[in-house]
Amino acid sequence: MSVRNHSPSDRRRPPVTKPATLSSATGLAANRSLLPSHRFDPALTWLRWTIVAAMLVITLAWPVGGRGGHPLWLFVFAFIGYNLVVELIRWSVPSRRSYDWVALFDLPTAGLLYFLDAEPGGPLFISFYVAMVTAAMYWTVRAIVPYTVAIVVIIVTVAPTLPQWSPSPGSFRQLAARIVVLIMIGAGTAMVVRRLTRQAEEASLMREEATRLEELDRLRSDFIASISHELRTPLTAIRAGIGFVRLSAGDRLGTEERGLLENAGRNAERLGLLIDDLLASNQLEAGILRLDRESLDLRAAITDAVAAMCPLIEQHGQVIDVELPDPLPIEGDARRLQQAMVNLLANANNHTPRGTLIALSCISARPDIHLQLKDNGPGIPEAELEAVFERFHRLDDVPGGSGLGLAIVRGIVELHGGRVWAERSADGGAVFNVTLPRHEEGD
């Protein structure tokens, strides 16, 4: 016996889209990424003011004179004033709230401070790092490259004019080292920011796709519930019509007409089972399937299921053998248990060939009732014994069935506190096992 499942829709993971860039800003064409640039504003604000505070502490702890004999802390206070003006513009002009424009003004400010420092690699050289990091966090690589070149040009131009600089190999090495470190910091910052940006964009796209899929699931569930209920009305009319014809004209019909009428009745019942499966599957997936529990004898549900499936089993040329002990007391929903039994039998009916023997037996022993449905059909591959209980799962190209039956069986059985599993029998057929908690009055 075999069961084949398909997924109703191909839900592939949404393709990861690389972040694009928007139009360039003024000056050095500083482009923004697709993500809002203000995402990094709090971190950069904290970083800039931390660096400014460090510069001030250094110049106050080790006071030295800069160009013209003025103390370096005076120039640091000037840098603080510059940053205060930047913050004032950011918060008073909504279109300038982000730092993406600030790097344009950081560059000349850093060059001026370094010139006033009058010391190669002195404390005010740090202002170049502030400018480089600011640009790397907001600008594209295309804009950062000329910006970096401009920084290098300014440093190479200013450094030889500083009092303590000399055109010696040692000074050239120190100058090159500072430039390399500056470029590495800028490149590292740019790479980290772009990775964070890409990850944030991918997460955003995945959240949007998840939301879209959830909405599609909701619409699908609503559609299935609606169409299932709508199908019940004409199906009820069809059943009533067939029943009326049987009662009023059954004895006057010929053999062929009675055969057609019986076939119509069987197909109406099959359609009813399919509608029940659609509704049950929808409710199980949504977690809203409720049981009308009562104390009952499981034999009644099994007997009704066998009676419902007998015409289809006989039409397929199969044989069913039922052995039920006396009694099978449980607490559960008789209609849902009958639906589960019907689906087990329908699975055997649909996926085994003509002449198959379907054996249904049950063992009643505390604490569980163990029901077993066995056939001598082609069976289920070992690797698929668990997968057959997934919704819409199918094996190979075996036709027949909706792909919902066994998933519904598992859902209903588990709601009753039981479990269901499949095995291969010694002769290669399929064996489905169901256990349900035994319950008697007074338990």
Side-chain angles (χ1 to χ4, degrees), residues 85-388:
V85 171
V86 167
E87 294 300 320
L88 179 63
I89 295 174
R90 286 183 61 238
W91 292 105
S92 60
V93 182
S95 61
R96 292 290 180 261
R97 187 63 53 86
S98 178
Y99 278 104
D100 55 357
W101 58 276
V102 177
L104 291 172
F105 299 94
D106 282 347
L107 186 56
T109 303
L112 178 61
L113 289 175
Y114 190 44
F115 176 76
L116 295 176
D117 186 353
E119 179 183 356
L124 297 183
F125 185 82
I126 300 174
S127 57
F128 283 114
Y129 293 108
V130 173
M132 188 74 254
V133 169
T134 301
M137 291 183 70
Y138 293 91
W139 293 6
T140 62
V141 175
R142 181 178 297 179
I144 292 174
V145 170
Y147 190 84
T148 305
V149 172
I151 288 181
V152 172
V153 169
I154 291 176
I155 292 174
V156 172
T157 302
V158 173
T161 68
L162 302 181
Q164 301 178 23
W165 193 89
S166 61
S168 63
S171 296
F172 279 114
R173 284 195 297 269
Q174 291 177 359
L175 177 60
R178 295 187 189 104
I179 292 174
V180 170
V181 171
L182 182 65
I183 293 173
M184 290 178 63
I185 289 177
T189 301
M191 287 189 291
V192 170
V193 168
R194 275 143 191 80
R195 172 170 291 184
L196 292 175
T197 299
R198 185 177 295 109
Q199 291 175 348
E201 287 179 346
E202 292 172 2
S204 177
L205 288 173
M206 293 185 68
R207 284 194 299 269
E208 291 175 2
E209 183 67 10
T211 301
R212 187 183 69 84
L213 291 177
E214 287 175 2
E215 179 64 14
L216 288 176
D217 275 344
R218 186 189 65 79
L219 293 174
R220 176 190 54 78
S221 298
D222 291 346
F223 172 77
I224 291 175
S226 175
I227 198 65
S228 298
H229 283 294
E230 291 295 330
L231 287 173
R232 285 190 180 276
T233 301
L235 178 61
T236 301
I238 292 171
R239 283 171 168 169
I242 293 173
F244 179 77
V245 172
R246 283 173 177 167
L247 291 175
S248 63
D251 55 345
R252 298 194 301 272
L253 296 176
T255 303
E256 186 175 347
E257 287 82 2
R258 282 197 297 270
L260 289 174
L261 187 62
E262 292 299 324
N263 187 56
R266 284 194 297 269
N267 280 285
E269 293 304 317
R270 189 190 295 269
L271 180 58
L273 294 175
L274 179 57
I275 293 173
D276 289 341
D277 282 352
L278 285 172
L279 282 172
S281 176
N282 206 40
Q283 292 171 345
L284 283 169
E285 186 181 13
I288 60 173
L289 184 66
R290 298 291 178 262
L291 302 179
D292 296 326
R293 291 182 177 273
E294 60 179 340
S295 296
L296 55 91
D297 189 340
L298 183 60
R299 291 177 305 166
I302 295 174
T303 301
D304 290 342
V306 171
M309 287 300 301
C310 262
L312 297 176
I313 291 174
E314 292 173 357
Q315 183 184 21
H316 205 184
Q318 298 163 333
V319 179
I320 182 166
D321 180 28
V322 181
E323 294 183 9
L324 299 177
D326 186 15
L328 300 174
I330 67 168
E331 183 180 68
D333 188 322
R335 184 172 69 89
R336 293 303 182 186
L337 288 170
Q338 179 185 344
Q339 183 178 13
M341 296 303 110
V342 166
N343 279 328
L344 276 177
L345 292 169
N347 182 74
N349 172 245
N350 290 331
H351 302 293
T352 58
R354 297 183 65 85
T356 298
L357 172 63
I358 302 171
L360 179 60
S361 61
C362 197
I363 301 174
S364 178
R366 291 182 181 274
D368 295 323
I369 293 174
H370 184 189
L371 184 145
Q372 188 175 82
L373 183 69
K374 181 179 178 181
D375 66 66
N376 57 358
I380 305 172
E382 289 286 345
E384 302 287 342
L385 289 174
E386 180 62 24
V388 294

